[in-house]
Amino acid sequence: MLKQHPEKRIHNFNEVTLGYSVEQAITEASRCLQCPDHPCVKGCPVGINILAFIKCVKEGDFDKAIAIVKERNSLPAMTGRVCPWENQCEAACILDKVGEPVAIGRLERFVADHELKKGYEMPKIANPTGHKVAVVGSGPAGLTAAADLAKLGHSVVIFEALHTPGGVLSYGIPEFRLPKNIVKAEVSYVEKLGVSIKTNIVIGKLITVDELLEQGFDAVFIASGAGAPNFLNLPGENLCGIYSANEFLTRSNLMKAYAFPEYDTPIKVGKKVAVIGGGNVAVDAARTALRLGADEVYIVYRRSEKEMPARIEEIDNAREEGVKFRFLTNPVRFQGDEKGWVKQMECIRMKLGEPDESGRRKPTSIKGSEFSMNVDTVVVAIGQKPNPLVPRTTKGLQITRWGTIVVDEKSGKTIKDRVWAGGDIVSGAATVIEAMGMGKRAAKSIHEYLTTP
Amino acid sequence: MQKKHGKPKIITKDELASGVKSFRIHAPLIAAKAKPGQFVIIRIDERGERIPITIVDSDSEEGTLTLIVQEVGKTTKKLGRMREDEEIADLVGPLGNPSEIENFGQVVVIGGGVGVTAAYEEAKALKKAGNRVISIIGARNKDLLFFEQEMRQVSDELNITTDDGTRGRKGFVTDVLKDLIDQRRHIDLVFAVGPTIMMKIVSKITEPHGIRTIVSLNPIMLDGTGMCGACRVRIGGQTKFTCVDGPDFDGHLVDFDELMTRQRMYLKEEKLALQMYENNVR
């Protein structure tokens, strides 16, 4: 799979991975054994008919291939870029046992990009049912639920708090992994299905979920996401130059601070950057910091590389680009200069013990192993939690101690009448595709509820 | 027939003082819900930044909001040059928690600089709730002073200060506050809004006397909905987000020095952006 050369790509925000050519796609598709029991389909959170679409690619019928993908997945140009295939469809692929699995993700991207170039083929929309559904949040869960409900003939309105739809697809994932013109195109596909997206409306401040139900919506799907940052709560964490990953990435991705001063939102990146965390968000932040001109960028993670939740492919990309890693290290405090800017991060070394409740080995600090790192920028990327605005202002929901909304696993229904929920607001911060899976599940249940007398 | 969800439009624009403009903006949904103390986040065009502005007044019948802006940097100057009938790219609100309005008794409302607009909203609501309102407003000089009539209408006593003495008493709003305390006037609550240093000094003055003091903080913001932590402030040793936990806080618990440091974080970029904008406009 071709990529921009590391030395070149750290100076731009262009997409790192380049797509297949027609020949490459057909060659790769021909490797598929068309297994009768299709383990790959079982491995896909939205159940795409993988071997069927791959067969079409092999035969050169790309239009039919994308139509098959779109039966289950409304946002393939995005999942074809950010899905962790290595844990899902490709991990289930038989060829994975003997070598390289079929590159299902790359092929999905190939057919999605083919359609983007050609122009969308609109699916059949069912006759209008007369029912209205409100969706809170235009991230992957909200967009997917809205698309499925619209195809079934329901009238759907998505309410989005920010000024651009997409949720993490717009503000969280960098341009070089997921170009925003792709996000825009996929969002406009959802709008073409008949979905109305109203931006700059904060449900929980301007209108509450209860008011939506009173105002004539027959059902509400809450997909407001995990849009609240976790901080370390360490001394000095409010010094200038210390960002939450949400702020750092929103400035760069959504507000295009990498193009300041052509775009008005600034972002500060010094010479020595430390990113705390080991997930995809941390890796994204580190690679963004490099592109913004840092001399040295360190990912500082309290466990070892083996436990990093980030995609291996992106960790490799980061390493190629020159990101350095400090494993088994945790910050303890931040020290600033006389102007209030962070200048040092005191750290402690960690060791791994028995697995904790997440199944990963629990890190504990090694007494007396403190050391200092000179840093002038820090990005805290230790996870996001559910934004509390909607849970706090919606009566009758069951909320866990982590702030997530409790739902029935099969239907996504909450205990509140006519209200469903899905995506990170239910699971805590997870992946785009898992959110989409929950969006599909809820759409199915909402449709059944609306059409059952 | 479905009404189109249009962009917020500037209905009227007035100059209140040198470099201070008042806008009435058509935003019916926000106007219907806005309460004193809340703010909006505004983005004037596609490349613009998101900035918070206090909602000074809202008319739910007309469906309009009144926002008052002091032109200090590129965004506020650009906004200052917009004309009636022009559209704002993005406007979101009402954000923040409404001010706590009760009949406290006798209250002192202090507005410094452009903070007088938020002070006016607060004084109006407190007066309506039955409080006796002593107001203090201050500006650098008489050209920068505004809202005097409006404040007079909602106050039982109005004190005016200018740094240079060109209007009212020469000195600072805090001088008047000190006098009120020295005169042993009965004060149940002080509400102060203005430059951060002013709110810090007000809080330092009232603290030894145990007078409850509420300040309205104005850190840098990005989303305004609790998503990013840009507006985080230390209150009583704990980190809070101004956009969802504030903007009003107990002045005696605020780490004002940390706030002022964080407000200076982008001074270099702000200066550069303004310079480039002014050069282009010429």
Side-chain angles (χ1 to χ4, degrees):
Chain A
M1 187 74 203
L2 283 173
K3 294 192 277 199
Q4 273 194 74
H5 196 273
E7 261 159 51
K8 179 170 179 235
R9 71 190 193 228
I10 59 167
H11 297 293
N12 66 51
F13 274 80
N14 302 333
E15 199 170 359
V16 168
T17 352
L18 308 168
Y20 275 154
S21 65
V22 168
E23 294 78 36
Q24 286 172 317
I26 294 179
T27 307
E28 185 62 23
S30 308
R31 292 183 59 225
C32 174
L33 301 177
Q34 297 289 315
C35 309
D37 65 333
H38 41 77
C40 51
V41 180
K42 297 196 191 105
C44 173
V46 296
I48 297 173
N49 193 346
I50 295 173
L51 59 164
F53 100 76
I54 290 182
K55 184 158 185 277
C56 294
V57 174
K58 177 174 138 188
E59 291 159 1
D61 190 349
F62 308 139
D63 290 351
K64 184 144 179 246
I66 187 61
I68 292 171
V69 171
K70 280 226 148 125
E71 280 167 20
R72 307 292 302 172
N73 176 1
S74 304
L75 313 170
M78 299 206 270
T79 52
R81 284 168 163 82
V82 305
C83 232
W85 324 293
E86 63 276 9
N87 299 338
Q88 293 164 174
C89 49
E90 291 179 14
C93 176
I94 281 200
L95 292 178
D96 186 50
K97 320 275 180 277
V98 294
E100 286 301 305
V102 173
I104 301 170
R106 314 278 189 225
L107 289 170
E108 181 184 38
R109 175 192 163 159
F110 173 78
V111 297
D113 286 355
H114 162 83
E115 191 190 33
L116 273 176
K117 266 188 275 203
K118 198 178 65 104
Y120 289 119
E121 186 83 33
M122 295 311 294
K124 272 201 190 57
I125 311 280
N127 288 329
T129 62
H131 293 295
K132 288 172 66 178
V133 182
V135 173
V136 181
S138 66
L143 288 170
T144 298
D148 281 5
L149 287 165
K151 284 195 270 191
L152 292 165
H154 303 295
S155 168
V156 185
V157 180
I158 301 180
F159 295 95
E160 167 55 49
L162 291 173
H163 57 268
T164 302
V168 283
L169 303 166
S170 285
Y171 75 75
I173 305 179
E175 178 75 18
F176 54 82
R177 272 219 294 147
L178 182 60
K180 301 313 154 205
N181 64 319
I182 304 248
V183 179
K184 206 170 167 196
E186 300 267 83
V187 168
S188 86
Y189 169 74
V190 173
E191 284 178 302
K192 287 200 182 76
L193 293 172
V195 174
S196 165
I197 301 181
K198 292 187 157 53
T199 54
N200 296 316
I201 298 200
V202 183
I203 302 298
K205 293 303 286 185
L206 182 65
I207 316 170
T208 62
V209 168
D210 287 298
E211 283 166 338
L212 288 174
L213 291 167
E214 286 161 27
Q215 283 173 19
F217 286 100
D218 301 301
V220 177
F221 176 57
I222 299 175
S224 50
N230 281 331
F231 279 102
L232 293 156
N233 295 318
L234 296 175
E237 204 171 11
N238 292 350
L239 286 164
C240 292
I242 302 185
Y243 287 103
S244 73
N246 269 1
E247 184 184 353
F248 190 73
L249 292 171
T250 298
R251 282 181 184 271
S252 181
N253 302 330
L254 180 70
M255 308 306 293
K256 303 213 196 312
Y258 60 81
F260 177 88
E262 276 148 51
Y263 282 77
D264 290 343
T265 304
I267 191 169
K268 294 288 247 211
V269 170
K271 298 277 154 228
K272 222 167 163 208
V273 181
V275 177
I276 319 297
N280 286 314
V281 174
V283 178
D284 283 346
R287 296 170 68 196
T288 298
L290 261 185
R291 284 160 173 75
L292 290 172
D295 286 345
E296 281 181 290
V297 178
Y298 288 88
I299 285 181
V300 175
Y301 182 50
R302 59 188 181 146
R303 291 186 170 97
S304 75
E305 183 164 0
K306 214 159 68 88
E307 286 85 25
M308 276 183 87
R311 295 190 63 198
I312 294 174
E313 179 179 317
E314 305 297 359
I315 299 172
D316 288 344
N317 280 335
R319 196 172 258 124
E320 274 173 21
E321 288 164 12
V323 171
K324 304 196 180 94
F325 296 81
R326 280 264 160 86
F327 293 112
L328 296 165
T329 305
N330 223 10
V332 169
R333 91 179 85 249
F334 302 98
Q335 275 135 351
D337 62 17
E338 63 290 339
K339 292 211 186 90
W341 274 88
V342 66
K343 68 166 182 194
Q344 262 195 347
M345 183 169 78
E346 197 183 296
C347 304
I348 195 163
R349 297 206 194 278
M350 311 292 280
K351 64 177 190 280
L352 292 177
E354 287 305 303
D356 67 14
E357 64 220 9
S358 73
R360 287 177 295 161
R361 295 178 66 194
K362 187 180 157 89
T364 50
S365 47
I366 301 173
K367 252 209 197 74
S369 69
E370 287 89 340
F371 68 99
S372 268
M373 272 178 79
N374 288 334
V375 291
D376 52 17
T377 310
V378 177
V379 181
V380 180
I382 56 168
Q384 293 74 43
K385 51 185 182 232
N387 189 298
L389 276 181
V390 172
R392 263 193 215 155
T393 57
T394 310
K395 292 190 280 277
L397 288 173
Q398 195 185 351
I399 312 291
T400 67
R401 63 185 166 100
W402 301 284
T404 51
I405 299 178
V406 176
V407 299
D408 171 75
E409 238 185 78
K410 287 214 183 69
S411 63
K413 177 106 184 22
T414 69
I415 61 168
K416 187 179 168 73
D417 200 33
R418 303 194 279 146
V419 176
W420 282 254
D424 286 359
I425 192 72
V426 166
S427 61
T431 60
V432 166
I433 193 75
E434 281 169 87
M436 290 173 65
M438 286 195 260
K440 294 192 88 61
R441 172 183 75 181
K444 182 159 178 273
S445 171
I446 293 173
H447 175 69
E448 272 162 23
Y449 166 79
L450 292 176
T451 53
T452 307
Chain B
M1 178 151 119
Q2 265 221 333
K3 192 167 179 200
K4 198 167 179 229
H5 183 65
K7 292 223 173 285
K9 200 184 263 201
I10 298 173
I11 307 293
T12 59
K13 175 185 159 188
D14 295 292
E15 181 150 8
L16 297 185
S18 166
V20 179
K21 303 238 171 36
S22 170
F23 295 88
R24 230 165 25 100
I25 299 181
H26 179 70
L29 294 177
I30 305 176
K33 283 294 180 72
K35 295 194 172 68
Q38 291 187 301
F39 61 95
V40 291
I41 289 243
I42 193 170
R43 194 177 79 122
I44 54 184
D45 57 41
E46 273 310 300
R47 297 185 175 204
E49 53 166 350
R50 294 168 62 100
I51 63 169
I53 303 184
T54 305
I55 300 171
V56 173
D57 208 358
S58 59
D59 188 331
S60 47
E61 266 174 47
E62 290 277 315
T64 57
L65 298 175
T66 301
L67 308 179
I68 293 176
V69 175
Q70 179 169 41
E71 293 164 290
V72 283
K74 176 182 176 180
T75 304
T76 45
K77 287 199 185 217
K78 220 173 168 186
L79 178 58
R81 284 201 176 89
M82 288 181 79
R83 294 180 303 265
E84 289 169 10
D85 264 357
E86 272 193 80
E87 284 175 347
I88 307 261
D90 299 287
L91 189 70
V92 58
L95 301 175
N97 293 310
S99 288
E100 209 185 298
I101 305 290
E102 267 176 45
N103 190 346
F104 297 103
Q106 177 157 267
V107 300
V108 175
V109 176
I110 307 175
V114 76
V116 73
T117 62
Y120 165 72
E121 261 291 79
E122 187 75 8
K124 187 166 124 183
L126 287 166
K127 185 96 186 82
K128 196 164 170 209
N131 292 280
R132 190 168 190 281
V133 177
I134 302 174
S135 295
I136 314 172
I137 62 173
R140 282 206 296 271
N141 58 57
K142 69 170 166 54
D143 292 322
L144 293 169
L145 192 70
F146 60 96
F147 256 38
E148 188 186 326
Q149 288 309 342
E150 287 83 352
M151 279 307 263
R152 205 173 288 283
Q153 275 176 4
V154 299
S155 315
D156 294 281
E157 290 171 40
L158 176 62
N159 300 276
I160 300 172
T161 67
T162 45
D163 295 11
D164 63 2
T166 47
R167 177 112 183 84
R169 167 177 166 169
K170 179 166 183 206
F172 305 108
V173 293
T174 43
D175 296 332
V176 178
L177 175 64
K178 272 198 215 110
D179 282 355
L180 291 172
I181 293 175
D182 288 343
Q183 290 158 18
R184 297 182 185 286
R185 299 291 301 274
H186 181 80
I187 303 173
D188 295 296
L189 178 84
V190 170
F191 180 86
V193 54
T196 309
I197 183 73
M198 178 210 109
M199 293 190 285
K200 176 182 174 184
I201 297 173
V202 165
S203 303
K204 287 273 173 287
I205 291 172
T206 58
E207 198 173 352
H209 303 278
I211 301 173
R212 184 158 169 225
T213 302
I214 305 291
V215 293
S216 179
L217 300 183
N218 55 354
I220 292 173
M221 285 190 188
L222 183 61
D223 64 290
T225 60
M227 191 190 105
C228 77
C231 65
R232 63 191 189 277
V233 288
R234 207 190 306 274
I235 308 291
Q238 286 196 326
T239 294
K240 300 271 179 206
F241 289 3
T242 303
C243 64
V244 293
D245 301 312
D248 288 355
F249 289 106
D250 178 340
H252 300 150
L253 298 178
V254 175
D255 185 339
F256 286 102
D257 290 339
E258 183 183 275
L259 172 58
M260 286 191 281
T261 305
R262 288 181 61 80
Q263 284 172 317
R264 289 196 288 265
M265 200 166 145
Y266 299 99
L267 276 183
K268 207 170 80 172
E269 285 77 11
E270 289 162 6
K271 198 169 167 198
L272 173 68
L274 183 60
Q275 255 171 15
M276 289 180 66
Y277 174 63
E278 308 264 73
N279 288 340
N280 274 344
V281 162
R282 264 176 226 114

